[in-house]
Amino acid sequence: MFTERQNHLAKIQKQLISSRQMPLNPLTNTEINYFLNEFSSCDANNFSKSGLGEREGRIFSPIVQSRHFGFAHGIGRSGDLLEAQPKAAGSFQMLQITEGMVLHSLKLAGFQTVKKCLMVPVCTGMSFFFVLTALKLKRVIWLRCDQKSVPKALELGADVVEVVDCIIQDDSMVCDYKKLQVLMESKQFDCVVSTTSCFAPRQPDDIKIIGKLAKLNNMKHIVNNAYGIQSELIMKELNNCEDAHVVISSMDKNYMVPVSGALIYSRNKALIEQIGQLYAGRASASGIIDLFITLLSLGQTGWNQVLEQRKRNFDNLKQKFKAKTVNRNEISMYVPGTNEEIGKLMFKSGISGSRFNKNGSELKICGRILKDFGLHGEGGISGYLVVAAAIGMKENEIDAGFLEYEQQ
Ligand SMILES: *Cc1c(COP(=O)(O)O)cnc(C)c1O
């Protein structure tokens, strides 16, 4: 009995190490705990007394020790986020398996041609700042999407920012591709930043059109796919986008983990490695441990299930709320003609992403003022409720939220 169990665990461990893929079926909590201990026990802080004068891997509190499953070395070395740390062989192996499982999850979500993924301990906005500065992209065209993280990153990292407002088209807010083309052909910019996960009525930017223009004009194309891993359409488009150089997604919004970091990924392996080598210093492994645990407890079947369930939730929400959908936006929809009170109530009752947008606010970015911030473009569509089908959402949450809504 005992050896049977040992053989079973050894087999899974061997498979994880050699395939670096998600297991087909979910692992149990006991199994996952076993692997966490197996890997962390290969780190020097757990098998030897820290050496004389050693500054790393000392943990005072047993609570902190257990919160991190004994992993204390983080990832990377001072000059490279992807370099192995000799004192932390277990952490490094855990990191490699997690990267493999994340790539696997991206492929299952539709982006089959993805080659390399960097897992960084800062969120989407700061990751943009990091990528822009690492690749020395100083003159940026930003396709306006009214969420503050990326414009703040541009304010930090860029010298010149040209903003392309969305325009109203078919009851949605759509990128002004004509204006974009003129700007790109002016050859005054290093890169274009597009957004593929956004609240309706904004349409996700068409990365195929933008990628072609980027290639023609010899510019980098950085894609803000904050929570778009759950959109099969976007993930599949990434395969056919001639030049989507770097894609950035949030860990928490796509993988049901606490806020902790972001994924920076691409079909271009060398480019991601170049960015990883420019990371200054070591980094926390906290978010990576959370992904390691979550992807093992989902397995391929669990991951496919949550992606499928989300699609069903979208259809369900659309039907219940009689919401308007927006071309290519598979995650959120909107209900026109609602008021602020309903928006607040819906938010309280937990309909993910429900909000009421009012105009009148402004945002300053690199010396210019964006009017009607929140509407994705000056004079944009306003006065609606956004309803989003986020990954992990339960059917009873939809029912409860809709009940609140109906009572208004
Ligand atoms: C969440 C989100 C971001 C990133 O926010 P962070 O807190 O930096 O992860 C950026 N853009 C959009 C559209 C988002 O939804």
Side-chain angles (χ1 to χ4, degrees):
M1 197 53 199
F2 177 73
T3 52
E4 208 176 294
R5 181 84 189 143
Q6 289 294 336
N7 287 342
H8 168 73
L9 289 167
K11 199 174 133 203
I12 301 175
Q13 187 171 356
K14 222 165 119 185
Q15 230 166 31
L16 279 179
I17 292 170
S18 62
S19 77
R20 291 188 195 164
Q21 292 204 332
M22 270 192 272
L24 182 60
N25 293 310
L27 300 191
T28 64
N29 292 345
T30 321
E31 287 165 342
I32 295 170
N33 267 307
Y34 171 84
F35 293 126
L36 286 164
N37 286 324
E38 274 292 289
F39 289 120
S40 74
S41 65
C42 299
D43 284 3
N45 61 309
N46 296 316
F47 67 71
S48 67
K49 288 267 167 261
S50 288
L52 208 62
E54 182 57 77
R55 299 148 301 169
E56 290 172 46
R58 293 179 191 273
I59 304 181
F60 178 78
S61 160
I63 298 176
V64 175
Q65 168 87 4
S66 73
R67 183 171 106 82
H68 295 271
F69 302 94
F71 291 108
H73 291 278
I75 60 164
R77 299 185 81 181
S78 47
D80 184 349
L81 203 56
L82 300 167
E83 200 180 327
Q85 166 64 263
K87 285 182 289 240
S91 288
F92 189 61
Q93 195 152 58
M94 191 267 302
L95 167 76
Q96 287 184 310
I97 292 170
T98 309
E99 190 205 324
M101 292 200 293
V102 166
L103 285 171
H104 191 191
S105 74
L106 296 173
K107 288 174 188 172
L108 289 175
F111 190 10
Q112 281 103 352
T113 55
V114 65
K115 289 282 171 348
K116 186 80 189 162
C117 177
L118 201 62
M119 298 174 284
V120 289
V122 287
C123 287
T124 318
M126 283 307 280
S127 296
F128 262 88
F129 169 62
F130 171 46
V131 169
L132 291 176
T133 42
L135 299 178
K136 305 213 167 7
L137 305 169
K138 290 288 175 195
R139 299 166 304 162
V140 182
I141 300 172
W142 178 51
L143 307 184
R144 182 169 163 185
C145 175
D146 289 356
Q147 202 276 357
K148 283 183 188 163
S149 302
V150 170
K152 287 186 92 167
L154 299 178
E155 177 89 44
L156 274 177
D159 290 343
V160 181
V161 178
E162 186 64 51
V163 181
V164 178
D165 271 30
C166 289
I167 50 176
I168 302 179
Q169 217 173 70
D170 302 326
D171 289 333
S172 47
M173 298 301 292
V174 182
C175 172
D176 186 346
Y177 294 104
K178 284 209 184 92
K179 181 175 176 192
L180 174 65
Q181 183 166 1
V182 172
L183 280 173
M184 286 175 87
E185 285 170 354
S186 76
K187 313 273 183 206
Q188 288 172 25
F189 299 92
D190 308 315
C191 95
V192 54
V193 171
S194 64
T195 308
T196 44
S197 69
C198 52
F199 280 131
R202 192 190 186 284
Q203 193 182 98
D205 293 325
D206 194 324
I207 47 177
K208 289 182 306 246
I209 297 177
I210 300 162
K212 270 205 189 100
L213 286 171
K215 189 169 183 166
L216 273 173
N217 296 296
N218 202 18
M219 286 167 70
K220 287 277 186 298
H221 178 197
I222 319 289
V223 182
N224 176 7
N225 194 35
Y227 52 94
I229 294 173
Q230 37 202 314
S231 167
E232 191 179 3
L233 182 122
I234 297 300
M235 294 304 274
K236 284 193 167 156
E237 277 184 359
L238 285 170
N239 295 305
N240 305 320
C241 177
E242 219 155 320
D243 270 296
H245 293 91
V246 180
V247 190
I248 303 178
S249 295
S250 146
M251 285 182 183
D252 62 286
K253 288 179 183 176
N254 295 287
Y255 291 95
M256 301 166 283
V257 293
V259 171
S260 62
L263 307 176
I264 302 175
Y265 53 102
S266 174
R267 283 186 301 187
N268 186 336
K269 188 170 180 229
L271 193 62
I272 298 298
E273 282 168 351
Q274 183 192 341
I275 295 168
Q277 280 157 9
L278 289 164
Y279 192 93
R282 303 163 302 156
S284 163
S286 228
I288 295 164
I289 299 171
D290 290 345
L291 284 181
F292 177 79
I293 296 169
T294 303
L295 291 169
L296 289 178
S297 45
L298 279 164
Q300 296 170 44
T301 50
W303 176 241
N304 287 330
Q305 259 166 25
V306 290
L307 291 174
E308 288 303 316
Q309 177 66 49
R310 200 205 61 79
K311 285 187 201 165
R312 286 198 296 278
N313 288 346
F314 184 91
D315 294 338
N316 190 359
L317 283 167
K318 179 180 157 188
Q319 204 191 13
K320 277 207 164 76
F321 284 88
K322 299 189 174 57
K324 254 190 199 303
T325 52
V326 167
N327 193 23
R328 302 179 57 257
N329 193 330
E330 293 189 318
I331 299 179
S332 65
M333 59 201 94
Y334 73 107
V335 187
T338 43
N339 62 40
E340 199 168 0
E341 284 310 301
I342 296 182
K344 277 182 188 154
L345 255 162
M346 297 295 293
F347 193 79
K348 269 191 217 151
S349 66
I351 281 287
S352 177
S354 65
R355 61 182 52 190
F356 179 80
N357 274 342
K358 55 178 179 207
N359 50 9
S361 58
E362 289 181 346
L363 183 81
K364 271 209 189 96
I365 168 176
C366 295
R368 53 157 52 238
I369 289 169
L370 300 185
K371 291 232 170 78
D372 294 338
F373 193 78
L375 306 184
H376 309 294
E378 205 175 323
I381 300 170
S382 69
Y384 52 83
L385 180 78
V386 184
V387 184
I391 198 163
M393 193 175 186
K394 303 274 179 343
E395 229 157 304
N396 58 1
E397 291 178 65
I398 298 176
D399 294 340
F402 184 64
L403 212 67
E404 290 267 9
Y405 174 71
E406 262 193 330
Q407 283 163 5
Q408 293 319 299

